Amino acid sequence: MIVLDMEWNQPLSMDSPLAIKLCTKLPFEIIQIGAVKVETGERFKATCCLQQYRILSPRISKLTGITKQDVRNGETFQDAIVRFREFCGEDPMLLTWGFNDIPILRQNLSFYGLDTQWTNNYYNLQIMFNQQFDPGPVVRGLSFAVEFFQLEVDSSYHDGLNDAAYTAEVAKHLDIPRGIAEYPDYLRHFEGDGDQAFLDCLRYANYTRFESFEDMIADPRIIKTPCPHCGVETTATEPVYPESGRMVWTAKCPEHGEFLIRVGFKRNRDDSMRGNKVIYTMDDAHRQQYAKAVEKASKPRRLKVAPFKLYVDADGCPVINQSLRIAAKRRVESFLICDTAHQLQRHGAETIVVSKGADSADFAIVSRLSPGDLVITQDYGLAAMCLSRKAKVIDQNGMRYTSENIDGLLASRAEAARIRRGGGRLKGPGKRTPEQTEAFTAAFEAMITEAYEDAKSE
């Protein structure tokens, strides 16, 4: 039995292009592996260098005590796994405290094309602790269990090896064979990329990536339901959609009766889909839930749309994804305006392509504007025209264009043009920072809220 604990790095901003690109494949990059063999006390520790998210998150560094120098001198994750597998031996039983370590380990293994099968035999000691010493719905932290058994604390938490060592000491107070025998059935049959505790269900599965909604509902793992008891293919009803992001249906096994299936789904940052599937025994309570879902799905629903629209001057705009995500959440109809040299397609927005010309995109936006509409642009001239149409205008760094500042901005643009015509050189914009994106996000949210308030008052 091997107790495993890991620490991992994450992107500084989940809205950065790199995070959006990797979010469903590698949301967290492992930087430390700690393990202890329960029977012998033999220990393993590895610190890994950063290969994807090259900047160590200050929050992670403060939490774990891992420094930039530590990861700079670390080995690759691939090399650390070779050593760790040698430490584990054949067919290891992995024990963790919590549900995150194994799914994140599997994500990292899959990302680098490494085998994941050796991680299948694992158990969460939290479950065993709750079952044997602390029954109830609360999932206890490691420090609670250490204090519960009055174990000596001589090292800090949130270090891979330290936490593994504490967990190994807690494991010695648990009846592991009993814990395995009583382990919840749905966790034994868990599928997917993460897991969850204390669900009153027969099966639970979580899948973090489908290329589209159509791919998701065509995937046999989602839409087909073998009987949880005997594996026979069930007879299913058509799914109903009682609300956005959820579908529900029933399935029936000739021998073991009826089941309720619920699938929840959301869109990832890169426009792919993620979903979770839960299967319940169809008792009276779940039958009532299904009846309510059918009733709710049968009622016509009016899609509430904002009384204003968003237009993005998309050529060279670095905040397209962030702005569309916020606009979709706030029910704002969105349009991307670009020329033939920069054609863009994004989920949740209509793309308007204009001819390649100096002012083509500007006129395309201005001609469509109504008072109260929203515009994102870096162009002072376009901003001035939009303000004259009583639109609300913001740049990619969160600066609001107003009647008070637009004349000064236009004057600065004219002066810069004069200097360049005279052969002078001006310093260009610096490298974009996460702080600029955060400032834009906050200011854009505030602008939409203001637009709703103005529309309501009118």
Side-chain angles (χ1 to χ4, degrees):
M1 293 185 292
I2 298 170
V3 171
L4 168 68
D5 187 86
M6 299 183 305
E7 308 297 337
W8 43 79
N9 189 37
Q10 63 187 56
L12 297 179
S13 170
M14 292 304 291
D15 291 322
S16 68
L18 180 61
I20 292 170
K21 178 182 177 182
L22 297 179
C23 65
T24 57
K25 299 176 182 178
L26 191 74
F28 305 104
E29 182 176 11
I30 292 173
I31 56 176
Q32 194 177 79
I33 303 172
V36 176
K37 291 183 178 178
V38 177
E39 294 86 353
T40 65
E42 186 180 353
R43 297 186 172 197
F44 173 92
K45 186 172 183 177
T47 300
C48 304
C49 61
L50 300 175
Q51 300 180 77
Q52 305 303 324
Y53 301 117
R54 297 301 185 102
I55 301 176
L56 180 63
S57 166
R59 187 182 72 83
I60 298 298
S61 180
K62 182 178 179 180
L63 180 68
T64 64
I66 299 172
T67 66
K68 296 178 181 178
Q69 191 66 34
D70 291 332
V71 295
R72 191 176 295 121
N73 296 333
E75 60 190 309
T76 66
F77 172 77
Q78 298 92 313
D79 289 341
I81 286 299
V82 170
R83 293 200 302 114
F84 182 54
R85 290 203 61 178
E86 291 176 355
F87 173 83
C88 292
E90 293 295 324
D91 301 320
M93 177 190 293
L94 301 177
L95 305 175
T96 64
W97 193 272
F99 281 112
N100 291 327
D101 294 83
I102 297 299
I104 290 175
L105 173 59
R106 288 175 175 168
Q107 286 173 338
N108 279 253
L109 291 170
S110 297
F111 184 83
Y112 292 107
L114 303 176
D115 177 38
T116 63
Q117 294 300 310
W118 60 278
T119 66
N120 286 345
N121 186 22
Y122 81 96
Y123 296 92
N124 178 7
L125 294 180
Q126 278 181 318
I127 301 297
M128 298 185 188
F129 175 79
N130 276 54
Q131 289 173 327
Q132 297 176 24
F133 293 97
D134 187 42
V138 179
V139 180
R140 298 295 186 180
L142 178 58
S143 59
F144 180 93
V146 168
E147 185 176 340
F148 182 87
F149 292 121
Q150 299 182 342
L151 303 178
E152 183 178 349
V153 178
D154 56 6
S155 302
S156 62
Y157 291 101
H158 300 296
D159 171 90
L161 183 55
N162 292 349
D163 285 0
Y166 288 134
T167 305
E169 290 301 312
V170 170
K172 294 176 182 178
H173 292 75
L174 303 176
D175 186 339
I176 302 295
R178 173 191 162 191
I180 292 174
E182 296 176 348
Y183 208 65
D185 187 57
Y186 77 87
L187 290 179
R188 294 177 187 275
H189 295 89
F190 172 76
E191 297 177 21
D193 306 307
D195 40 19
Q196 185 172 330
F198 303 108
L199 279 172
D200 179 23
C201 65
L202 291 172
R203 294 288 185 272
Y204 174 76
N206 186 61
Y207 306 104
T208 57
R209 187 177 181 84
F210 300 95
E211 290 302 323
S212 66
F213 176 78
E214 290 75 18
D215 288 341
M216 184 186 74
I217 61 174
D219 193 300
R221 297 174 299 172
I222 291 290
I223 206 64
K224 291 188 178 297
T225 308
C227 174
H229 301 292
C230 66
V232 170
E233 192 63 41
T234 56
T235 303
T237 60
E238 286 294 320
V240 298
Y241 296 82
E243 57 197 13
S244 176
R246 188 160 68 96
M247 56 182 181
V248 181
W249 68 94
T250 66
K252 190 171 185 179
C253 170
E255 182 178 354
H256 297 100
E258 199 170 11
F259 308 100
L260 176 66
I261 296 92
R262 188 182 69 202
V263 171
F265 50 90
K266 292 183 178 180
R267 193 169 296 280
N268 294 314
R269 285 181 170 83
D270 64 353
D271 280 344
S272 63
M273 300 294 298
R274 65 182 185 271
N276 60 72
K277 179 180 180 180
V278 192
I279 304 176
Y280 301 93
T281 298
M282 182 66 93
D283 54 20
D284 289 342
H286 289 119
R287 201 175 300 281
Q288 290 179 6
Q289 290 180 16
Y290 179 64
K292 288 181 180 179
V294 171
E295 181 183 5
K296 192 171 182 180
S298 66
K299 294 180 178 179
R301 282 176 286 176
R302 294 174 58 190
L303 182 62
K304 296 180 180 179
V305 180
F308 47 84
K309 298 176 181 179
L310 168 66
Y311 295 92
V312 182
D313 183 10
D315 293 339
C317 179
V319 291
I320 291 175
N321 292 333
Q322 293 86 349
S323 60
L324 294 185
R325 189 156 48 250
I326 295 169
K329 183 176 66 175
R330 303 295 296 273
R331 302 291 189 185
V332 181
E333 190 177 1
S334 302
F335 300 86
L336 300 179
I337 314 298
C338 59
D339 64 34
T340 53
H342 304 89
Q343 294 190 37
L344 300 167
Q345 297 293 332
R346 291 291 190 278
H347 177 81
E350 179 181 338
T351 298
I352 299 173
V353 180
V354 298
S355 61
K356 189 177 180 181
D359 300 315
S360 298
D362 296 2
F363 293 133
I365 292 174
V366 173
S367 65
R368 288 171 168 80
L369 285 179
S370 297
D373 284 345
L374 314 180
V375 178
I376 300 173
T377 183
Q378 306 174 49
D379 187 320
Y380 297 165
L382 173 58
M385 289 189 286
C386 294
L387 289 174
S388 70
R389 299 294 296 268
K390 301 188 183 305
K392 300 180 187 298
V393 196
I394 192 171
D395 80 351
Q396 76 279 11
N397 298 325
M399 181 188 74
R400 288 285 297 275
Y401 297 97
T402 66
S403 56
E404 286 76 26
N405 67 14
I406 192 62
D407 289 341
L409 293 171
L410 290 171
S412 67
R413 185 181 73 164
E415 177 63 16
R418 185 189 66 77
I419 293 173
R420 284 192 292 270
R421 283 196 303 271
R425 299 182 64 181
L426 297 173
K427 185 178 179 181
K431 184 178 180 181
R432 187 167 182 81
T433 66
E435 289 73 21
Q436 289 174 309
T437 300
E438 291 174 5
F440 167 80
T441 300
F444 186 53
E445 287 268 19
M447 187 168 76
I448 292 179
T449 299
E450 178 187 309
Y452 268 112
E453 291 174 350
D454 290 349
K456 185 184 296 184
S457 64
E458 291 176 5

